[in-house]
Amino acid sequence: MKFNKEQGRYIILGSIDGLLAVLGVVIGTSHVVDDPSIIINAALGGAIALAMTNGIGSYLAESAVEYGHLAELEKPLLRSLESTKLEAQTKKKICNDSIAHGGSSFIGSLVPISPFVLLDEMALEVSVVLSISVLAVLGVYSGKIAKQSAIKHAVRMVGLGILIVAAVTMLGLE
């Protein structure tokens, strides 16, 4: 499946949101408990809430913007564009963008959770390294979309990830 640039934006945004927000939950929860099931449950709760808020939030925001564009087009035409092919395309765009944002948020959230499901030891360390690695891949994708240096974009994404890991880790110090 090929995504357009608009959906690419939402895939990057959602993936970063899901990955880093849930990584923060994982790190924070790991400072309080050692039980992987509690960490997984807390992280999944965050993942579901984030995916829903990103998906529904995108739907609401995109609806406002896209229907605003339709209203601007209606003025010079002196007619409503309701029930037209243009409105149908607008609805499809809104839905696709919302699904891309919410869905990528959830999928990104699974990255930092997966080591706690699959491993008995060093799950937190693997979670951090895996998350940073996925951020590097997202950076390369971002660079391709921007038609700029993939390395530069990857370094920025990795830097963001390291910043979040450091901030959350420092907050967890007793």
Side-chain angles (χ1 to χ4, degrees), residues 13-174:
L13 280 170
S15 297
I16 291 169
D17 283 350
L19 200 149
L20 291 177
V22 172
L23 181 60
V25 171
V26 163
I27 293 169
T29 308
S30 294
H31 283 124
V32 179
V33 298
D34 290 327
D35 185 347
S37 68
I38 294 173
I39 296 166
I40 292 166
N41 283 330
L44 280 174
I48 291 166
L50 185 64
M52 290 179 71
T53 57
N54 278 349
I56 294 168
S58 287
Y59 181 84
L60 296 173
E62 282 296 311
S63 292
V65 170
E66 294 301 325
Y67 276 98
H69 289 150
L70 279 180
E72 288 175 16
L73 292 174
E74 288 175 340
K75 285 181 184 176
L77 296 173
L78 302 173
R79 66 169 281 223
S80 171
L81 293 173
E82 193 174 319
S83 301
T84 64
K85 187 175 182 179
L86 193 54
E87 185 190 36
Q89 290 171 340
T90 298
K91 285 181 177 180
K92 183 177 179 182
K93 179 191 181 309
I94 292 167
C95 286
N96 287 342
D97 291 349
S98 301
I99 290 167
H101 196 181
S104 62
S105 294
F106 187 74
I107 291 168
S109 296
L110 297 178
V111 172
I113 297 171
S114 61
F116 290 89
V117 174
L118 301 172
L119 302 173
D120 290 330
E121 294 183 22
M122 301 206 36
L124 180 59
E125 293 81 0
V126 172
S127 179
V128 170
V129 170
L130 182 61
S131 296
I132 298 295
S133 300
V134 171
L135 283 171
V137 172
L138 282 170
V140 169
Y141 177 56
S142 175
K144 283 183 73 172
I145 288 175
K147 296 185 181 2
Q148 295 177 338
S149 168
I151 292 172
K152 183 177 176 182
H153 280 254
V155 167
R156 291 190 333 206
M157 290 278 191
V158 167
L160 172 63
I162 291 170
L163 177 68
I164 299 297
V165 168
V168 174
T169 300
M170 284 191 285
L171 289 173
L173 294 177
E174 296 176 13

